[in-house]
Amino acid sequence: EPIFFAVEQAASPKEGINEFLRSLKSKIRYPEEAKRLGLKGKVFVKFVVKKDGTATNFEIIKGISKELDLEALRVLKEEVNGWNPGKQNGKIVHSQFVMPVQFGN
């Protein structure tokens, strides 16, 4: 089945995006080496939210460092599940989602 890159109604966390982001932030483990080196910024992770609300095909599309990229992947793979799927023309579809994960200020 096709994966939509733009949909009329984007996939979203069941608890709402603000609560999801709060939870995500609380679970991120900032790697000590990255902190020591002063690495900060956003890691952008692309994934697909399937019609059943599960997520798959996680991929870094803009990273910072190996440690930060891997941490962003780890936390998103654990946290992105049971989402409301995207909709196109009133139908539930597989859709792509891009999530920035912030490290540092």
Side-chain angles (χ1 to χ4, degrees):
E1 292 190 47
I3 295 169
F4 287 77
F5 299 102
V7 289
E8 292 168 350
Q9 184 178 336
S12 62
K14 290 204 185 298
E15 68 269 38
I17 193 69
N18 290 333
E19 184 56 37
F20 175 80
L21 292 174
R22 260 192 298 280
S23 176
L24 192 68
K25 189 174 182 178
S26 73
K27 294 178 180 171
I28 290 174
R29 294 187 292 244
Y30 206 137
E32 286 302 319
E33 179 70 4
K35 261 194 221 177
R36 190 180 64 71
L37 294 172
L39 298 177
K40 57 186 174 181
K42 292 179 183 174
V43 175
F44 290 84
V45 181
K46 174 177 72 173
F47 53 92
V48 172
V49 178
K50 295 169 47 174
K51 294 196 303 190
D52 64 3
T54 60
T56 187
N57 297 3
F58 289 85
E59 179 185 340
I60 300 290
I61 57 173
K62 182 176 183 282
I64 299 171
S65 71
K66 183 178 179 182
E67 294 83 10
L68 294 179
D69 296 356
L70 289 174
E71 178 59 11
L73 281 175
R74 180 199 66 80
V75 75
L76 283 176
K77 284 180 178 180
E78 287 180 7
E79 294 301 307
V80 179
N81 52 46
W83 275 31
N84 298 311
K87 289 185 180 178
Q88 183 68 21
N89 296 326
K91 294 181 181 175
I92 293 173
V93 296
H94 300 309
S95 62
Q96 181 177 285
F97 198 93
V98 176
M99 174 72 64
V101 178
Q102 179 72 44
F103 290 93
N105 293 335

